[in-house]
Amino acid sequence: QLQLQESGPGLVKPSETLSLTCTVSGGSISSNNPYYWGWIRQPPGRGLELIGTIYYTGNTYNNPSLKSRVIISVDSSKTQFSLKLHSMTAADTAVYYCAKGDFYSMDVWGKGTTVTVSS
Amino acid sequence: QSALTQPPSASGSPGQSVTISCTGTRSDVGSYNRVAWYQQHPGKAPKLMIYDVSQRPPGVPDRFSGSKSGNTASLTVSGLQAEDEADYYCSSYAGSNNLVFGGGTKVTVL
């Protein structure tokens, strides 16, 4: 049974780059698990927003509103994938989730990690 | 502002039914049968309840059902139970490899 766990800094300064990692347990990011692996965020008291996804082949699909700031990649171990979000501002303060699914829906989620942007 | 429109709140008594709407456009909900619904309890991660408009993942009670008409999708929770009190979010494929979400609906069990 696949499980996901986010890790990374809880506090990021404005203009810096956020780096988060999602560790996959119970499987790997490979053709054995032909899923999309994604990052979704939720600002305090607000709704969900897709940041982007990566297919096991390495193809990535990012939210057009964030596209130029986002890099999603898979680690060589194939048991982790990561998010880099550049030029952070207070508006990027949110709970960040990693998840997996068929692109149209995400059926396994991590518990989420809170990221605050503040100097 | 979210791409999909949901009512901020809905409520019902135990045993009753509640229906939540999710209104999009002909560019998202109206064009694709790729609507999903998520349940989120406070401080917890979202849980997939419905995918592809009306399909239930394993383990989701059949009290939860989904449908779509035109640009509006709906989630119905029948036989409301206390544990159904949560926030519910819809999402839809919007073409060009984009997925959009609704702003969420808080369901209260009276």
Side-chain angles (χ1 to χ4, degrees), chain A residues 12-19 41 69 84-94 96 115-118:
Chain A
V12 177
K13 289 182 170 56
S15 80
E16 292 189 341
T17 296
L18 170 67
S19 293
R41 69 181 182 179
R69 300 172 52 207
K84 290 190 186 300
L85 184 60
H86 301 288
S87 306
M88 294 284 282
T89 72
D92 296 311
T93 292
Y96 286 73
V115 175
T116 302
V117 182
S118 175

Side-chain angles (χ1 to χ4, degrees), chain A:
Chain A
Q1 177 178 342
L2 285 170
Q3 293 184 309
L4 307 178
Q5 178 66 60
E6 306 87 351
S7 59
L11 182 65
V12 177
K13 289 182 170 56
S15 80
E16 292 189 341
T17 296
L18 170 67
S19 293
L20 295 178
T21 296
C22 182
T23 299
V24 179
S25 57
S28 64
I29 302 171
S30 67
S31 57
N32 292 329
N33 293 296
Y35 304 119
Y36 288 82
W37 308 83
W39 290 96
I40 298 100
R41 69 181 182 179
Q42 185 172 32
R46 296 179 61 184
L48 301 166
E49 179 184 34
L50 175 70
I51 299 171
T53 60
I54 187 166
Y55 196 43
Y56 79 95
T57 57
N59 291 341
T60 58
Y61 308 91
N62 297 332
N63 187 324
S65 68
L66 299 170
K67 201 169 187 177
S68 62
R69 300 172 52 207
V70 174
I71 297 177
I72 296 175
S73 60
V74 175
D75 185 85
S76 57
S77 68
K78 304 296 185 183
T79 59
Q80 293 182 327
F81 63 103
S82 65
L83 166 70
K84 290 190 186 300
L85 184 60
H86 301 288
S87 306
M88 294 284 282
T89 72
D92 296 311
T93 292
V95 177
Y96 286 73
Y97 296 98
C98 61
K100 78 87 172 163
D102 67 354
F103 185 87
Y104 308 104
S105 59
M106 295 298 190
D107 62 341
V108 178
W109 294 65
K111 294 182 178 180
T113 187
T114 300
V115 175
T116 302
V117 182
S118 175
S119 56

Side-chain angles (χ1 to χ4, degrees), chain B residues 56-97:
Chain B
R56 277 187 306 276
V60 173
D62 59 7
R63 302 185 293 104
F64 292 85
S65 62
S67 62
K68 189 186 87 166
S69 177
N71 299 336
T72 299
S74 299
L75 172 72
T76 297
V77 185
S78 305
L80 266 176
Q81 299 183 4
E83 61 260 35
D84 299 333
E85 185 162 296
D87 293 327
Y88 291 82
Y89 295 91
C90 62
S91 71
S92 174
Y93 184 60
S96 301
N97 299 314

